């Protein structure tokens, strides 16, 4: 399976000779799934809850039992079986709107850089700000589509007319300059905080990190591997020092909380280099994203909706090549918030999806439409496509004897959707519920 689970930089680092030079063996690629039983699973009709997608009102009426299960949770994850399916974005927007308008959720968190998304949210607070330029400046290209713009336009409109504001957040880490600059600005604004020297050091390391990331997909670009490793490790230690310094820094409460989020984001972005050099292993991107989600709901009454790939929000890790990861982000969140985590997966059988041929996703990776390959015989997608309803959801806990371990497809940001995109799962190992759309279309790029 494609390495969609890894940190955004890890696949680049582990593909280099530097990995072997440091005394490690590169992780083995996951083998294609070969199911032992290709007999289709015939679902009991009572398990299938048909959904209308013709209008928001019809959709809202159809999903009320599903929403009722979500409403009492602290963290609700809405997964995506591909990073580029229009229907997955649209239906998750509608679910997010229901949870925010009717059930007290005030944050939606993307699989996107934390500080970059903070800056996006700050931009959306300006009533007349154009949404699309903000998206291009602050979101990975997987989010730069008209369907995500619908959500963000709704957020902007909602906040104009409601006292209780909703916010867009991020739980991932890749770029480091945004947080370095925000921390530096706080240090300048509050000189008695004593953070100027540390934030200057962080900015130096962030400049190297982000310059590499911005150029890593360019043909002929040579990564300065030793400088990258050394600078990344120093960046990690600097972010850690900033975290410790914040406990006594002379900052107002609100600014301290902002700084804590920026420093955590920076440390997450540099965690790869610490794990690689000190612990001789890959970073656990899932545990880092769970940690950032925990940071978002640190207040007792805070609730968050997470938008991320099925492979991350799943309770079980989707990749055999990193068995020490401890589960998907969902497994970490369940341990952090026992009984307070709900995860909805989304899946499809046929159609098109948006993807990029860039080896490493960035803000500028070009997205194009690709056809989905025919589902693998014996897979969940093959069985679910035979249900008469074109769009439906089911509760995995009600599957009973039909909860068989079969291949489940996880398509990343690359164009591949064939046999090596599957892992064997019982649906209960991954999700509380699954929303299935038989035929889907590629997300629509921004203009």
């Amino acid at each position: 399976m494609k390495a969609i689970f890894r940190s955004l930089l890890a696949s680049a680092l582990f593909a280099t000779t530097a990995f072997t030079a440091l005394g490690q063996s590169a992780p083995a690629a996951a083998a294609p799934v070969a199911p032992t039983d290709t007999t289709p699973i015939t679902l009991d009709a009572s398990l299938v809850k048909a959904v209308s997608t013709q209008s928001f009102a019809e959709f809202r009426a159809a999903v009320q039992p599903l929403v009722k299960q979500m409403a009492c949770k602290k963290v609700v994850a809405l997964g995506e079986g591909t990073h580029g399916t229009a229907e997955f974005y649209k239906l998750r927007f509608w679910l997010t709107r229901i949870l925010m308008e009717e059930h007290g959720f005030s944050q939606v968190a993307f699989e996107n850089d934390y500080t970059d998304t903070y800056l996006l949210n700050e931009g959306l607070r300006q009533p007349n700000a154009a949404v699309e330029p903000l998206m291009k400046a602050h979101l990975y290209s997987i989010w730069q589509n008209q369907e995500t713009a619908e959500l963000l336009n709704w957020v902007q409109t909602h906040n104009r007319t409601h006292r209780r504001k909703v916010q867009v957040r991020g739980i991932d880490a890749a770029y480091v300059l945004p947080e370095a600059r925000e921390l530096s600005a706080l240090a300048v604004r509050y000189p008695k905080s004593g953070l100027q020297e540390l934030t200057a050091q962080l900015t130096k390391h962030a400049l190297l990190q982000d310059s590499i990331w911005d150029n890593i997909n360019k043909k002929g670009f040579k990564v300065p591997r030793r400088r990258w490793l050394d600078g990344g490790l120093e960046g990690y230690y600097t972010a850690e020092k900033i975290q410790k310094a914040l406990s006594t820094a002379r900052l107002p409460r609100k600014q301290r909380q902002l700084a804590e989020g920026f420093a955590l984001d920076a440390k997450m972005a540099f965690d790869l280099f610490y794990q690689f050099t000190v612990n001789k292993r890959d970073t656990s991107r899932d545990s880092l994203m769970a940690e950032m989600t925990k940071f978002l709901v640190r207040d007792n009454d805070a609730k968050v909706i997470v938008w991320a790939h099925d492979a991350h929000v799943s309770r079980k890790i989707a990749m055999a090549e990193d068995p020490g990861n401890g589960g998907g982000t969902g497994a970490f969140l369940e341990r952090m918030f026992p009984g307070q985590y709900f995860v909805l997966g989304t899946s499809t059988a046929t159609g098109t999806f948006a993807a990029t041929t860039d080896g490493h996703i960035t803000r500028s990776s070009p997205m194009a439409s690709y056809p989905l390959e025919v589902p693998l015989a014996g897979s969940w997608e093959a069985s679910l496509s035979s249900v008469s309803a074109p769009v439906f959801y089911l509760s995995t806990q009600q599957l009973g004897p039909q909860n068989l371990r079969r291949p489940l497809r996880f398509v990343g940001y690359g164009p591949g959707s064939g046999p090596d995109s599957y892992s064997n799962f019982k649906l209960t190992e991954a999700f509380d519920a699954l929303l299935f759309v038989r035929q889907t279309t590629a997300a629509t790029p921004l203009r």
Side-chain angles (χ1 to χ4, degrees), residues 246-257:
L246 286 173
S247 63
T248 56
R250 297 177 65 179
L251 288 170
R253 181 173 177 272
K254 183 178 180 180
Q255 279 65 39
R256 186 189 306 278
Q257 290 179 336

Side-chain angles (χ1 to χ4, degrees), residues 245-394:
L246 286 173
S247 63
T248 56
R250 297 177 65 179
L251 288 170
R253 181 173 177 272
K254 183 178 180 180
Q255 279 65 39
R256 186 189 306 278
Q257 290 179 336
L258 285 174
E260 287 170 348
F262 302 145
L264 176 59
D265 188 23
K267 187 177 177 181
M268 285 172 52
F270 285 121
D271 183 75
L272 165 67
F273 302 96
Y274 176 81
Q275 301 299 340
F276 182 85
T277 306
V278 176
N279 294 327
K280 311 301 181 189
R281 65 175 179 86
D282 192 355
T283 188
S284 169
R285 186 176 172 208
D286 282 333
S287 67
L288 295 176
M289 290 200 289
E291 193 63 36
M292 186 56 80
T293 305
K294 181 181 178 182
F295 180 80
L296 295 178
V297 291
R298 59 196 182 280
D299 296 335
N300 289 336
D301 59 346
K303 301 166 78 173
V304 66
I305 303 159
V306 173
W307 284 30
H309 198 281
D310 280 353
H312 292 301
V313 297
S314 166
R315 286 190 168 88
K316 176 187 171 184
I317 188 168
M319 291 183 65
E321 62 188 69
D322 190 10
N325 201 349
T329 298
F332 290 102
L333 288 170
E334 184 60 56
R335 291 194 287 270
M336 292 172 175
F337 305 104
Q340 289 297 306
Y341 179 65
F342 187 96
V343 51
L344 172 75
T346 58
S347 185
T348 183
T350 61
T352 58
F353 69 107
T356 181
T357 55
D358 274 2
H360 316 288
I361 197 72
T362 68
R363 301 186 193 106
S364 59
S365 296
M367 305 292 287
S369 177
Y370 294 89
L372 282 162
E373 293 194 29
V374 175
L376 197 66
S379 67
W380 277 105
E381 287 76 13
S383 293
L384 296 172
S385 65
S386 65
V387 173
S388 59
V391 184
F392 65 91
Y393 72 89
L394 58 83

